[in-house]
Amino acid sequence: MSLKHKIAVFASGYGSNFEAIANAALAGEIPAEVVLFVCDKAEARACQIAEQMNIPMFVFSAKEYASKAEYESAIVERCNEAGVELICLAGYMRIVGETLLNAYSGQIINLHPALLPSFKGAKAIEQAFEYGVKIFGATIHYVDESLDGGKIIAQRAVEYDGDCLEEITAMVHKVEHQLYIETIKKILDK
């Protein structure tokens, strides 16, 4: 039996990737336990998932803090208390700042719904769709101070020649879930 690593997952919305990671941890597909869920939107569906799965949560509103450094210090404190070894961003819609980057340098990964370096930032699938690309995909990368610019860990492509945004979005999300689990496992098995 392999050692279970302690991971935190950050999300801001629906939480399908968070749910996939948490379920993979419970099923033993990854050698990890999700010891903390961090969210910046109390109304996010992801919070309901964490609650149903009895995963400890830190939910905050950035407006309640004087600065990014202040709320990131609170996050770092919670991560340290939980013994977090790896932070997995899964639809966390805030740019990670220097406080969190300094505390967890090289230990923060992000899932992006496009083949980086193309289509950085929010709404990447929509951007790629509007541009008319025929190869979509997902990228897992280390988080640094740049927007979606950290070192790429893994990518997977999805060919699509249709005209339905919802269809390609669903296809990309399916790939995201698989790729993120595989990548987390590879990182933790090192």
Side-chain angles (χ1 to χ4, degrees):
M1 169 131 168
S2 62
L3 174 70
K4 284 203 171 197
H5 297 273
K6 295 180 177 186
I7 64 173
V9 180
F10 293 21
S12 296
Y14 192 74
S16 66
N17 280 297
F18 162 54
E19 188 171 25
I21 293 167
N23 283 331
L26 284 173
E29 293 173 35
I30 55 175
E33 176 185 1
V34 180
V35 295
L36 182 65
F37 171 67
V38 175
C39 185
D40 62 335
K41 300 199 180 322
E43 71 282 0
R45 176 184 171 269
C47 292
Q48 296 169 7
I49 294 167
E51 195 172 309
Q52 290 166 356
M53 297 181 87
N54 293 315
I55 295 172
M57 289 189 281
F58 176 58
V59 181
F60 70 97
S61 170
K63 293 180 207 163
E64 295 174 5
Y65 292 87
S67 66
K68 180 188 286 266
E70 193 176 295
Y71 71 72
E72 284 196 347
S73 291
I75 293 170
V76 168
E77 186 177 320
R78 302 299 189 305
C79 287
N80 289 342
E81 288 169 1
V84 169
E85 301 165 65
L86 179 69
I87 295 172
C88 304
L89 306 183
Y92 181 66
M93 300 308 289
R94 295 200 166 273
I95 294 173
V96 175
E98 131 182 338
T99 302
L100 197 48
L101 284 171
N102 288 341
Y104 282 89
S105 178
Q107 298 169 280
I108 306 172
I109 61 174
N110 182 47
L111 168 67
H112 185 72
L115 295 172
L116 291 174
S118 298
F119 307 109
K120 294 180 178 186
K123 302 198 183 294
I125 298 171
E126 292 92 334
Q127 291 173 40
F129 183 79
E130 288 170 11
Y131 197 80
V133 302
K134 303 302 177 208
I135 300 177
F136 293 76
T139 302
I140 315 292
H141 65 94
Y142 285 105
V143 175
D144 64 13
E145 62 284 341
S146 63
L147 176 65
D148 294 326
K151 182 180 178 199
I152 293 172
I153 305 165
Q155 291 183 307
R156 186 155 301 148
V158 178
E159 289 189 39
Y160 183 72
D161 195 18
D163 61 359
C164 179
L165 179 60
E166 292 76 20
E167 184 177 36
I168 187 55
T169 298
M171 291 170 70
V172 170
H173 287 324
K174 184 176 179 183
V175 166
E176 285 177 340
H177 297 168
Q178 296 165 345
L179 184 62
Y180 216 0
I181 300 307
E182 291 169 15
T183 304
I184 291 168
K185 182 177 179 358
K186 256 189 224 172
I187 289 170
L188 296 178
D189 279 346
K190 283 183 180 178

